[in-house]
mmCIF file of all heavy atoms in Angstrom:
data_model
loop_
_atom_site.group_PDB
_atom_site.id
_atom_site.type_symbol
_atom_site.label_atom_id
_atom_site.label_comp_id
_atom_site.label_asym_id
_atom_site.label_seq_id
_atom_site.Cartn_x
_atom_site.Cartn_y
_atom_site.Cartn_z
ATOM 1 N N ARG A 1 0.814 -1.222 0.000
ATOM 2 C CA ARG A 1 0.002 0.005 0.001
ATOM 3 C C ARG A 1 0.844 1.261 0.005
ATOM 4 O O ARG A 1 0.462 2.279 -0.622
ATOM 5 C CB ARG A 1 -0.954 0.024 1.214
ATOM 6 C CG ARG A 1 -1.926 -1.148 1.260
ATOM 7 C CD ARG A 1 -2.933 -0.960 2.376
ATOM 8 N NE ARG A 1 -2.291 -0.933 3.716
ATOM 9 C CZ ARG A 1 -2.378 0.114 4.561
ATOM 10 N NH1 ARG A 1 -3.087 1.184 4.209
ATOM 11 N NH2 ARG A 1 -1.783 0.047 5.726
ATOM 12 N N PHE A 2 1.971 1.238 0.712
ATOM 13 C CA PHE A 2 2.830 2.419 0.811
ATOM 14 C C PHE A 2 4.087 2.202 -0.012
ATOM 15 O O PHE A 2 4.581 1.072 -0.144
ATOM 16 C CB PHE A 2 3.259 2.644 2.267
ATOM 17 C CG PHE A 2 2.159 3.107 3.175
ATOM 18 C CD1 PHE A 2 0.841 3.060 2.812
ATOM 19 C CD2 PHE A 2 2.495 3.569 4.442
ATOM 20 C CE1 PHE A 2 -0.165 3.503 3.680
ATOM 21 C CE2 PHE A 2 1.503 4.020 5.324
ATOM 22 C CZ PHE A 2 0.198 3.963 4.943
ATOM 23 N N THR A 3 4.626 3.268 -0.541
ATOM 24 C CA THR A 3 5.889 3.242 -1.286
ATOM 25 C C THR A 3 6.767 4.393 -0.837
ATOM 26 O O THR A 3 6.366 5.552 -0.889
ATOM 27 C CB THR A 3 5.645 3.350 -2.797
ATOM 28 O OG1 THR A 3 4.807 2.290 -3.241
ATOM 29 C CG2 THR A 3 6.981 3.252 -3.542
ATOM 30 N N ILE A 4 7.975 4.065 -0.397
ATOM 31 C CA ILE A 4 8.960 5.068 -0.038
ATOM 32 C C ILE A 4 9.908 5.278 -1.209
ATOM 33 O O ILE A 4 10.286 4.308 -1.897
ATOM 34 C CB ILE A 4 9.696 4.679 1.262
ATOM 35 C CG1 ILE A 4 10.593 5.877 1.725
ATOM 36 C CG2 ILE A 4 10.533 3.433 1.066
ATOM 37 C CD1 ILE A 4 11.201 5.646 3.124
ATOM 38 N N SER A 5 10.275 6.521 -1.453
ATOM 39 C CA SER A 5 11.192 6.828 -2.524
ATOM 40 C C SER A 5 11.996 8.053 -2.143
ATOM 41 O O SER A 5 11.661 8.738 -1.166
ATOM 42 C CB SER A 5 10.465 7.053 -3.854
ATOM 43 O OG SER A 5 9.575 8.147 -3.758
ATOM 44 N N ARG A 6 13.041 8.352 -2.906
ATOM 45 C CA ARG A 6 13.834 9.533 -2.615
ATOM 46 C C ARG A 6 14.375 10.136 -3.893
ATOM 47 O O ARG A 6 14.578 9.439 -4.899
ATOM 48 C CB ARG A 6 14.983 9.227 -1.637
ATOM 49 C CG ARG A 6 15.982 8.223 -2.186
ATOM 50 C CD ARG A 6 16.920 7.726 -1.052
ATOM 51 N NE ARG A 6 17.863 8.742 -0.628
ATOM 52 C CZ ARG A 6 18.621 8.643 0.453
ATOM 53 N NH1 ARG A 6 18.542 7.570 1.220
ATOM 54 N NH2 ARG A 6 19.479 9.621 0.786
ATOM 55 N N ASP A 7 14.589 11.441 -3.851
ATOM 56 C CA ASP A 7 15.185 12.177 -4.934
ATOM 57 C C ASP A 7 16.464 12.796 -4.342
ATOM 58 O O ASP A 7 16.402 13.797 -3.625
ATOM 59 C CB ASP A 7 14.258 13.245 -5.453
ATOM 60 C CG ASP A 7 14.793 13.960 -6.667
ATOM 61 O OD1 ASP A 7 16.027 13.986 -6.867
ATOM 62 O OD2 ASP A 7 13.988 14.521 -7.460
ATOM 63 N N ASN A 8 17.592 12.173 -4.611
ATOM 64 C CA ASN A 8 18.834 12.624 -4.011
ATOM 65 C C ASN A 8 19.247 14.015 -4.470
ATOM 66 O O ASN A 8 19.900 14.763 -3.729
ATOM 67 C CB ASN A 8 19.940 11.614 -4.311
ATOM 68 C CG ASN A 8 19.758 10.307 -3.584
ATOM 69 O OD1 ASN A 8 19.134 10.251 -2.525
ATOM 70 N ND2 ASN A 8 20.256 9.233 -4.171
ATOM 71 N N ALA A 9 18.878 14.381 -5.696
ATOM 72 C CA ALA A 9 19.205 15.721 -6.190
ATOM 73 C C ALA A 9 18.458 16.800 -5.420
ATOM 74 O O ALA A 9 18.932 17.923 -5.334
ATOM 75 C CB ALA A 9 18.873 15.826 -7.682
ATOM 76 N N LYS A 10 17.294 16.457 -4.875
ATOM 77 C CA LYS A 10 16.511 17.400 -4.098
ATOM 78 C C LYS A 10 16.585 17.186 -2.587
ATOM 79 O O LYS A 10 15.931 17.893 -1.852
ATOM 80 C CB LYS A 10 15.046 17.332 -4.535
ATOM 81 C CG LYS A 10 14.795 17.691 -5.978
ATOM 82 C CD LYS A 10 13.319 17.626 -6.313
ATOM 83 C CE LYS A 10 13.058 18.022 -7.747
ATOM 84 N NZ LYS A 10 11.617 17.932 -8.088
ATOM 85 N N ASN A 11 17.398 16.217 -2.154
ATOM 86 C CA ASN A 11 17.499 15.863 -0.739
ATOM 87 C C ASN A 11 16.134 15.622 -0.119
ATOM 88 O O ASN A 11 15.858 16.054 1.008
ATOM 89 C CB ASN A 11 18.226 16.976 0.031
ATOM 90 C CG ASN A 11 19.719 17.030 -0.294
ATOM 91 O OD1 ASN A 11 20.295 16.080 -0.818
ATOM 92 N ND2 ASN A 11 20.332 18.160 0.024
ATOM 93 N N THR A 12 15.303 14.918 -0.836
ATOM 94 C CA THR A 12 13.920 14.718 -0.435
ATOM 95 C C THR A 12 13.533 13.248 -0.427
ATOM 96 O O THR A 12 13.918 12.493 -1.320
ATOM 97 C CB THR A 12 12.971 15.488 -1.387
ATOM 98 O OG1 THR A 12 13.303 16.885 -1.327
ATOM 99 C CG2 THR A 12 11.516 15.301 -0.966
ATOM 100 N N VAL A 13 12.767 12.852 0.579
ATOM 101 C CA VAL A 13 12.207 11.519 0.677
ATOM 102 C C VAL A 13 10.701 11.642 0.638
ATOM 103 O O VAL A 13 10.112 12.597 1.159
ATOM 104 C CB VAL A 13 12.685 10.781 1.942
ATOM 105 C CG1 VAL A 13 12.222 11.475 3.187
ATOM 106 C CG2 VAL A 13 12.220 9.339 1.917
ATOM 107 N N TYR A 14 10.021 10.688 -0.001
ATOM 108 C CA TYR A 14 8.597 10.689 -0.138
ATOM 109 C C TYR A 14 7.981 9.414 0.437
ATOM 110 O O TYR A 14 8.640 8.370 0.525
ATOM 111 C CB TYR A 14 8.193 10.753 -1.622
ATOM 112 C CG TYR A 14 8.799 11.905 -2.367
ATOM 113 C CD1 TYR A 14 9.995 11.749 -3.079
ATOM 114 C CD2 TYR A 14 8.200 13.154 -2.395
ATOM 115 C CE1 TYR A 14 10.565 12.779 -3.775
ATOM 116 C CE2 TYR A 14 8.747 14.206 -3.085
ATOM 117 C CZ TYR A 14 9.941 14.034 -3.765
ATOM 118 O OH TYR A 14 10.489 15.068 -4.477
ATOM 119 N N LEU A 15 6.735 9.517 0.813
ATOM 120 C CA LEU A 15 5.953 8.336 1.189
ATOM 121 C C LEU A 15 4.615 8.421 0.500
ATOM 122 O O LEU A 15 3.784 9.246 0.883
ATOM 123 C CB LEU A 15 5.791 8.251 2.727
ATOM 124 C CG LEU A 15 5.100 6.974 3.215
ATOM 125 C CD1 LEU A 15 6.015 5.764 2.986
ATOM 126 C CD2 LEU A 15 4.753 7.070 4.700
ATOM 127 N N GLN A 16 4.434 7.601 -0.507
ATOM 128 C CA GLN A 16 3.155 7.498 -1.193
ATOM 129 C C GLN A 16 2.301 6.492 -0.464
ATOM 130 O O GLN A 16 2.661 5.340 -0.312
ATOM 131 C CB GLN A 16 3.353 7.065 -2.648
ATOM 132 C CG GLN A 16 2.067 6.901 -3.444
ATOM 133 C CD GLN A 16 1.353 8.204 -3.659
ATOM 134 O OE1 GLN A 16 1.961 9.189 -4.039
ATOM 135 N NE2 GLN A 16 0.049 8.205 -3.423
ATOM 136 N N MET A 17 1.134 6.946 0.015
ATOM 137 C CA MET A 17 0.255 6.113 0.799
ATOM 138 C C MET A 17 -1.050 5.909 0.058
ATOM 139 O O MET A 17 -1.799 6.879 -0.179
ATOM 140 C CB MET A 17 -0.025 6.750 2.177
ATOM 141 C CG MET A 17 1.271 7.038 2.976
ATOM 142 S SD MET A 17 0.909 7.700 4.622
ATOM 143 C CE MET A 17 0.208 9.270 4.187
ATOM 144 N N ASN A 18 -1.324 4.681 -0.328
ATOM 145 C CA ASN A 18 -2.530 4.344 -1.043
ATOM 146 C C ASN A 18 -3.383 3.385 -0.192
ATOM 147 O O ASN A 18 -2.893 2.770 0.754
ATOM 148 C CB ASN A 18 -2.207 3.667 -2.383
ATOM 149 C CG ASN A 18 -1.428 4.569 -3.311
ATOM 150 O OD1 ASN A 18 -1.629 5.792 -3.360
ATOM 151 N ND2 ASN A 18 -0.548 3.964 -4.112
ATOM 152 N N SER A 19 -4.641 3.249 -0.576
ATOM 153 C CA SER A 19 -5.575 2.367 0.121
ATOM 154 C C SER A 19 -5.518 2.586 1.635
ATOM 155 O O SER A 19 -5.451 1.649 2.418
ATOM 156 C CB SER A 19 -5.250 0.911 -0.220
ATOM 157 O OG SER A 19 -5.329 0.677 -1.611
ATOM 158 N N LEU A 20 -5.590 3.828 2.025
ATOM 159 C CA LEU A 20 -5.454 4.157 3.429
ATOM 160 C C LEU A 20 -6.587 3.601 4.283
ATOM 161 O O LEU A 20 -7.743 3.539 3.833
ATOM 162 C CB LEU A 20 -5.373 5.684 3.591
ATOM 163 C CG LEU A 20 -4.005 6.273 3.236
ATOM 164 C CD1 LEU A 20 -4.126 7.770 2.979
ATOM 165 C CD2 LEU A 20 -2.996 5.967 4.341
ATOM 166 N N LYS A 21 -6.240 3.207 5.458
ATOM 167 C CA LYS A 21 -7.170 2.653 6.425
ATOM 168 C C LYS A 21 -7.238 3.502 7.664
ATOM 169 O O LYS A 21 -6.279 4.229 7.972
ATOM 170 C CB LYS A 21 -6.744 1.237 6.836
ATOM 171 C CG LYS A 21 -6.550 0.276 5.648
ATOM 172 C CD LYS A 21 -5.992 -1.066 6.134
ATOM 173 C CE LYS A 21 -5.812 -2.019 4.988
ATOM 174 N NZ LYS A 21 -5.250 -3.335 5.451
ATOM 175 N N PRO A 22 -8.320 3.450 8.443
ATOM 176 C CA PRO A 22 -8.390 4.218 9.680
ATOM 177 C C PRO A 22 -7.221 3.953 10.625
ATOM 178 O O PRO A 22 -6.792 4.878 11.310
ATOM 179 C CB PRO A 22 -9.718 3.772 10.286
ATOM 180 C CG PRO A 22 -10.550 3.420 9.104
ATOM 181 C CD PRO A 22 -9.607 2.779 8.126
ATOM 182 N N GLU A 23 -6.724 2.749 10.656
ATOM 183 C CA GLU A 23 -5.611 2.426 11.522
ATOM 184 C C GLU A 23 -4.291 3.029 11.078
ATOM 185 O O GLU A 23 -3.294 2.948 11.804
ATOM 186 C CB GLU A 23 -5.434 0.887 11.651
ATOM 187 C CG GLU A 23 -5.378 0.133 10.351
ATOM 188 C CD GLU A 23 -6.708 -0.459 9.960
ATOM 189 O OE1 GLU A 23 -7.756 0.231 10.096
ATOM 190 O OE2 GLU A 23 -6.741 -1.635 9.542
ATOM 191 N N ASP A 24 -4.260 3.655 9.892
ATOM 192 C CA ASP A 24 -3.084 4.413 9.470
ATOM 193 C C ASP A 24 -3.026 5.809 10.096
ATOM 194 O O ASP A 24 -2.034 6.507 9.924
ATOM 195 C CB ASP A 24 -3.054 4.529 7.940
ATOM 196 C CG ASP A 24 -2.883 3.218 7.252
ATOM 197 O OD1 ASP A 24 -2.061 2.380 7.729
ATOM 198 O OD2 ASP A 24 -3.544 2.990 6.223
ATOM 199 N N THR A 25 -4.099 6.183 10.759
ATOM 200 C CA THR A 25 -4.145 7.504 11.399
ATOM 201 C C THR A 25 -3.043 7.641 12.418
ATOM 202 O O THR A 25 -2.909 6.833 13.346
ATOM 203 C CB THR A 25 -5.507 7.739 12.046
ATOM 204 O OG1 THR A 25 -6.543 7.761 11.055
ATOM 205 C CG2 THR A 25 -5.516 9.054 12.797
ATOM 206 N N ALA A 26 -2.211 8.668 12.271
ATOM 207 C CA ALA A 26 -1.075 8.883 13.141
ATOM 208 C C ALA A 26 -0.373 10.156 12.763
ATOM 209 O O ALA A 26 -0.666 10.764 11.738
ATOM 210 C CB ALA A 26 -0.083 7.690 13.034
ATOM 211 N N VAL A 27 0.538 10.568 13.616
ATOM 212 C CA VAL A 27 1.487 11.619 13.237
ATOM 213 C C VAL A 27 2.682 10.911 12.601
ATOM 214 O O VAL A 27 3.250 9.997 13.180
ATOM 215 C CB VAL A 27 1.953 12.441 14.453
ATOM 216 C CG1 VAL A 27 2.996 13.466 14.028
ATOM 217 C CG2 VAL A 27 0.772 13.132 15.118
ATOM 218 N N TYR A 28 3.025 11.335 11.389
ATOM 219 C CA TYR A 28 4.114 10.739 10.638
ATOM 220 C C TYR A 28 5.344 11.615 10.725
ATOM 221 O O TYR A 28 5.270 12.835 10.495
ATOM 222 C CB TYR A 28 3.697 10.535 9.175
ATOM 223 C CG TYR A 28 2.774 9.373 8.978
ATOM 224 C CD1 TYR A 28 1.462 9.428 9.430
ATOM 225 C CD2 TYR A 28 3.212 8.210 8.372
ATOM 226 C CE1 TYR A 28 0.598 8.352 9.272
ATOM 227 C CE2 TYR A 28 2.361 7.115 8.193
ATOM 228 C CZ TYR A 28 1.064 7.210 8.657
ATOM 229 O OH TYR A 28 0.215 6.129 8.505
ATOM 230 N N TYR A 29 6.461 10.991 11.064
ATOM 231 C CA TYR A 29 7.721 11.685 11.254
ATOM 232 C C TYR A 29 8.742 11.225 10.230
ATOM 233 O O TYR A 29 8.966 10.027 10.048
ATOM 234 C CB TYR A 29 8.288 11.430 12.650
ATOM 235 C CG TYR A 29 7.410 11.957 13.776
ATOM 236 C CD1 TYR A 29 6.440 11.128 14.352
ATOM 237 C CD2 TYR A 29 7.564 13.244 14.256
ATOM 238 C CE1 TYR A 29 5.660 11.580 15.408
ATOM 239 C CE2 TYR A 29 6.773 13.700 15.287
ATOM 240 C CZ TYR A 29 5.824 12.861 15.835
ATOM 241 O OH TYR A 29 5.037 13.320 16.888
ATOM 242 N N CYS A 30 9.419 12.169 9.625
ATOM 243 C CA CYS A 30 10.541 11.895 8.763
ATOM 244 C C CYS A 30 11.810 11.761 9.588
ATOM 245 O O CYS A 30 12.025 12.507 10.551
ATOM 246 C CB CYS A 30 10.670 13.007 7.723
ATOM 247 S SG CYS A 30 12.088 12.893 6.628
ATOM 248 N N HIS A 31 12.671 10.838 9.190
ATOM 249 C CA HIS A 31 13.956 10.649 9.866
ATOM 250 C C HIS A 31 15.067 10.455 8.836
ATOM 251 O O HIS A 31 14.832 9.882 7.760
ATOM 252 C CB HIS A 31 13.909 9.419 10.762
ATOM 253 C CG HIS A 31 15.213 9.070 11.398
ATOM 254 N ND1 HIS A 31 16.081 8.147 10.824
ATOM 255 C CD2 HIS A 31 15.839 9.520 12.527
ATOM 256 C CE1 HIS A 31 17.161 8.040 11.584
ATOM 257 N NE2 HIS A 31 17.027 8.883 12.598
ATOM 258 N N ALA A 32 16.252 10.962 9.153
ATOM 259 C CA ALA A 32 17.370 10.795 8.249
ATOM 260 C C ALA A 32 18.678 10.728 9.003
ATOM 261 O O ALA A 32 18.851 11.385 10.029
ATOM 262 C CB ALA A 32 17.414 11.935 7.230
ATOM 263 N N ASP A 33 19.585 9.914 8.501
ATOM 264 C CA ASP A 33 20.968 9.888 8.944
ATOM 265 C C ASP A 33 21.754 10.807 8.031
ATOM 266 O O ASP A 33 21.900 10.547 6.833
ATOM 267 C CB ASP A 33 21.559 8.477 8.877
ATOM 268 C CG ASP A 33 20.867 7.511 9.825
ATOM 269 O OD1 ASP A 33 20.483 7.935 10.941
ATOM 270 O OD2 ASP A 33 20.714 6.326 9.468
ATOM 271 N N ILE A 34 22.268 11.890 8.579
ATOM 272 C CA ILE A 34 22.889 12.944 7.783
ATOM 273 C C ILE A 34 24.267 13.269 8.336
ATOM 274 O O ILE A 34 24.438 13.428 9.531
ATOM 275 C CB ILE A 34 22.012 14.214 7.756
ATOM 276 C CG1 ILE A 34 20.660 13.924 7.127
ATOM 277 C CG2 ILE A 34 22.724 15.345 7.022
ATOM 278 C CD1 ILE A 34 19.709 15.086 7.160
ATOM 279 N N ARG A 35 25.221 13.389 7.418
ATOM 280 C CA ARG A 35 26.539 13.903 7.788
ATOM 281 C C ARG A 35 26.579 15.393 7.451
ATOM 282 O O ARG A 35 26.550 15.749 6.276
ATOM 283 C CB ARG A 35 27.631 13.154 7.056
ATOM 284 C CG ARG A 35 29.033 13.670 7.380
ATOM 285 C CD ARG A 35 30.100 12.898 6.620
ATOM 286 N NE ARG A 35 31.392 13.568 6.759
ATOM 287 C CZ ARG A 35 32.516 13.129 6.184
ATOM 288 N NH1 ARG A 35 32.487 12.047 5.428
ATOM 289 N NH2 ARG A 35 33.631 13.811 6.378
ATOM 290 N N PRO A 36 26.680 16.239 8.467
ATOM 291 C CA PRO A 36 26.754 17.676 8.187
ATOM 292 C C PRO A 36 28.076 18.031 7.533
ATOM 293 O O PRO A 36 29.080 17.324 7.686
ATOM 294 C CB PRO A 36 26.653 18.327 9.571
ATOM 295 C CG PRO A 36 26.044 17.279 10.460
ATOM 296 C CD PRO A 36 26.567 15.984 9.908
ATOM 297 N N LEU A 37 28.075 19.117 6.817
ATOM 298 C CA LEU A 37 29.296 19.610 6.207
ATOM 299 C C LEU A 37 30.356 19.879 7.252
ATOM 300 O O LEU A 37 30.068 20.451 8.308
ATOM 301 C CB LEU A 37 28.988 20.889 5.423
ATOM 302 C CG LEU A 37 30.001 21.361 4.378
ATOM 303 C CD1 LEU A 37 30.101 20.348 3.238
ATOM 304 C CD2 LEU A 37 29.629 22.729 3.855
ATOM 305 N N LEU A 38 31.555 19.430 7.005
ATOM 306 C CA LEU A 38 32.717 19.601 7.867
ATOM 307 C C LEU A 38 32.725 18.730 9.114
ATOM 308 O O LEU A 38 33.608 18.851 9.956
ATOM 309 C CB LEU A 38 32.899 21.070 8.280
ATOM 310 C CG LEU A 38 33.015 22.101 7.146
ATOM 311 C CD1 LEU A 38 33.176 23.509 7.729
ATOM 312 C CD2 LEU A 38 34.180 21.743 6.225
ATOM 313 N N PHE A 39 31.761 17.814 9.222
ATOM 314 C CA PHE A 39 31.755 16.846 10.310
ATOM 315 C C PHE A 39 32.173 15.481 9.806
ATOM 316 O O PHE A 39 32.155 15.223 8.584
ATOM 317 C CB PHE A 39 30.350 16.798 10.958
ATOM 318 C CG PHE A 39 30.054 17.973 11.850
ATOM 319 C CD1 PHE A 39 29.848 19.220 11.313
ATOM 320 C CD2 PHE A 39 30.014 17.822 13.233
ATOM 321 C CE1 PHE A 39 29.580 20.308 12.106
ATOM 322 C CE2 PHE A 39 29.739 18.912 14.042
ATOM 323 C CZ PHE A 39 29.521 20.159 13.492
ATOM 324 N N PHE A 40 32.517 14.611 10.717
ATOM 325 C CA PHE A 40 33.124 13.342 10.374
ATOM 326 C C PHE A 40 32.286 12.122 10.722
ATOM 327 O O PHE A 40 32.775 10.985 10.630
ATOM 328 C CB PHE A 40 34.504 13.224 11.027
ATOM 329 C CG PHE A 40 35.381 14.384 10.700
ATOM 330 C CD1 PHE A 40 35.681 15.349 11.657
ATOM 331 C CD2 PHE A 40 35.918 14.528 9.433
ATOM 332 C CE1 PHE A 40 36.475 16.427 11.346
ATOM 333 C CE2 PHE A 40 36.731 15.597 9.116
ATOM 334 C CZ PHE A 40 37.013 16.558 10.077
ATOM 335 N N ARG A 41 31.035 12.340 11.077
ATOM 336 C CA ARG A 41 30.118 11.275 11.377
ATOM 337 C C ARG A 41 28.678 11.747 11.078
ATOM 338 O O ARG A 41 28.446 12.922 10.872
ATOM 339 C CB ARG A 41 30.218 10.834 12.834
ATOM 340 C CG ARG A 41 30.062 11.947 13.852
ATOM 341 C CD ARG A 41 29.601 11.460 15.190
ATOM 342 N NE ARG A 41 28.198 11.097 15.150
ATOM 343 C CZ ARG A 41 27.480 10.796 16.209
ATOM 344 N NH1 ARG A 41 28.041 10.803 17.422
ATOM 345 N NH2 ARG A 41 26.218 10.480 16.102
ATOM 346 N N THR A 42 27.774 10.769 11.041
ATOM 347 C CA THR A 42 26.395 11.115 10.806
ATOM 348 C C THR A 42 25.658 11.342 12.117
ATOM 349 O O THR A 42 26.074 10.897 13.191
ATOM 350 C CB THR A 42 25.668 9.988 10.035
ATOM 351 O OG1 THR A 42 25.642 8.785 10.825
ATOM 352 C CG2 THR A 42 26.374 9.717 8.702
ATOM 353 N N TYR A 43 24.542 12.062 12.018
ATOM 354 C CA TYR A 43 23.683 12.332 13.137
ATOM 355 C C TYR A 43 22.232 12.038 12.750
ATOM 356 O O TYR A 43 21.903 12.061 11.574
ATOM 357 C CB TYR A 43 23.812 13.785 13.590
ATOM 358 C CG TYR A 43 25.168 14.135 14.125
ATOM 359 C CD1 TYR A 43 26.199 14.518 13.260
ATOM 360 C CD2 TYR A 43 25.444 14.111 15.500
ATOM 361 C CE1 TYR A 43 27.454 14.835 13.745
ATOM 362 C CE2 TYR A 43 26.687 14.409 15.999
ATOM 363 C CZ TYR A 43 27.689 14.781 15.110
ATOM 364 O OH TYR A 43 28.934 15.098 15.608
ATOM 365 N N ASP A 44 21.408 11.784 13.753
ATOM 366 C CA ASP A 44 19.979 11.547 13.512
ATOM 367 C C ASP A 44 19.236 12.889 13.482
ATOM 368 O O ASP A 44 19.414 13.704 14.381
ATOM 369 C CB ASP A 44 19.399 10.703 14.629
ATOM 370 C CG ASP A 44 19.911 9.282 14.635
ATOM 371 O OD1 ASP A 44 20.274 8.785 13.552
ATOM 372 O OD2 ASP A 44 19.920 8.671 15.704
ATOM 373 N N TYR A 45 18.424 13.055 12.464
ATOM 374 C CA TYR A 45 17.572 14.242 12.352
ATOM 375 C C TYR A 45 16.147 13.815 12.180
ATOM 376 O O TYR A 45 15.830 12.815 11.512
ATOM 377 C CB TYR A 45 18.025 15.114 11.165
ATOM 378 C CG TYR A 45 19.346 15.774 11.380
ATOM 379 C CD1 TYR A 45 20.525 15.133 10.996
ATOM 380 C CD2 TYR A 45 19.446 17.020 11.981
ATOM 381 C CE1 TYR A 45 21.751 15.732 11.223
ATOM 382 C CE2 TYR A 45 20.654 17.632 12.198
ATOM 383 C CZ TYR A 45 21.819 16.975 11.806
ATOM 384 O OH TYR A 45 23.045 17.567 12.024
ATOM 385 N N TRP A 46 15.247 14.607 12.765
ATOM 386 C CA TRP A 46 13.810 14.328 12.718
ATOM 387 C C TRP A 46 13.031 15.524 12.222
ATOM 388 O O TRP A 46 13.355 16.667 12.531
ATOM 389 C CB TRP A 46 13.315 13.970 14.135
ATOM 390 C CG TRP A 46 13.807 12.684 14.658
ATOM 391 C CD1 TRP A 46 14.959 12.449 15.371
ATOM 392 C CD2 TRP A 46 13.175 11.396 14.530
ATOM 393 N NE1 TRP A 46 15.078 11.132 15.695
ATOM 394 C CE2 TRP A 46 14.010 10.465 15.162
ATOM 395 C CE3 TRP A 46 12.014 10.969 13.902
ATOM 396 C CZ2 TRP A 46 13.681 9.111 15.238
ATOM 397 C CZ3 TRP A 46 11.684 9.629 13.947
ATOM 398 C CH2 TRP A 46 12.506 8.713 14.615
ATOM 399 N N GLY A 47 12.008 15.230 11.451
ATOM 400 C CA GLY A 47 11.045 16.281 11.092
ATOM 401 C C GLY A 47 10.119 16.578 12.252
ATOM 402 O O GLY A 47 10.099 15.884 13.257
ATOM 403 N N GLN A 48 9.313 17.599 12.087
ATOM 404 C CA GLN A 48 8.392 18.026 13.127
ATOM 405 C C GLN A 48 7.169 17.138 13.228
ATOM 406 O O GLN A 48 6.481 17.145 14.253
ATOM 407 C CB GLN A 48 7.945 19.461 12.886
ATOM 408 C CG GLN A 48 9.003 20.497 13.158
ATOM 409 C CD GLN A 48 9.273 20.691 14.627
ATOM 410 O OE1 GLN A 48 10.171 20.044 15.188
ATOM 411 N NE2 GLN A 48 8.520 21.541 15.266
#
C-alpha cells in the first residue's frame, strides 16, 4: 500500500500512501541519517 522513494538531487524523501485505512491515522515523522558539512560522522535528524 505504501511506497517510499527519494530524490537525491533534491535531498527529499517521499511516502506515497494508497488504500489508506483508519488504523493508518497517526502523526508521521521523517527521519534521516545525515553527515553535516565539515563533520566526520552522521547524526539523527527528525522532522516536526
Side-chain angles (χ1 to χ4, degrees):
R1 300 187 298 120
F2 291 12
T3 302
I4 188 171
S5 62
R6 63 192 288 170
D7 185 337
N8 292 332
K10 297 181 179 180
N11 289 341
T12 300
V13 63
Y14 306 93
L15 186 67
Q16 178 67 47
M17 303 184 293
N18 299 325
S19 302
L20 283 162
K21 304 175 181 179
E23 51 262 45
D24 295 318
T25 296
V27 177
Y28 284 71
Y29 297 91
C30 176
H31 174 266
D33 295 323
I34 299 176
R35 179 181 170 181
L37 196 66
L38 303 180
F39 284 70
F40 305 107
R41 54 156 287 189
T42 64
Y43 295 85
D44 293 332
Y45 291 90
W46 291 90
Q48 288 287 93

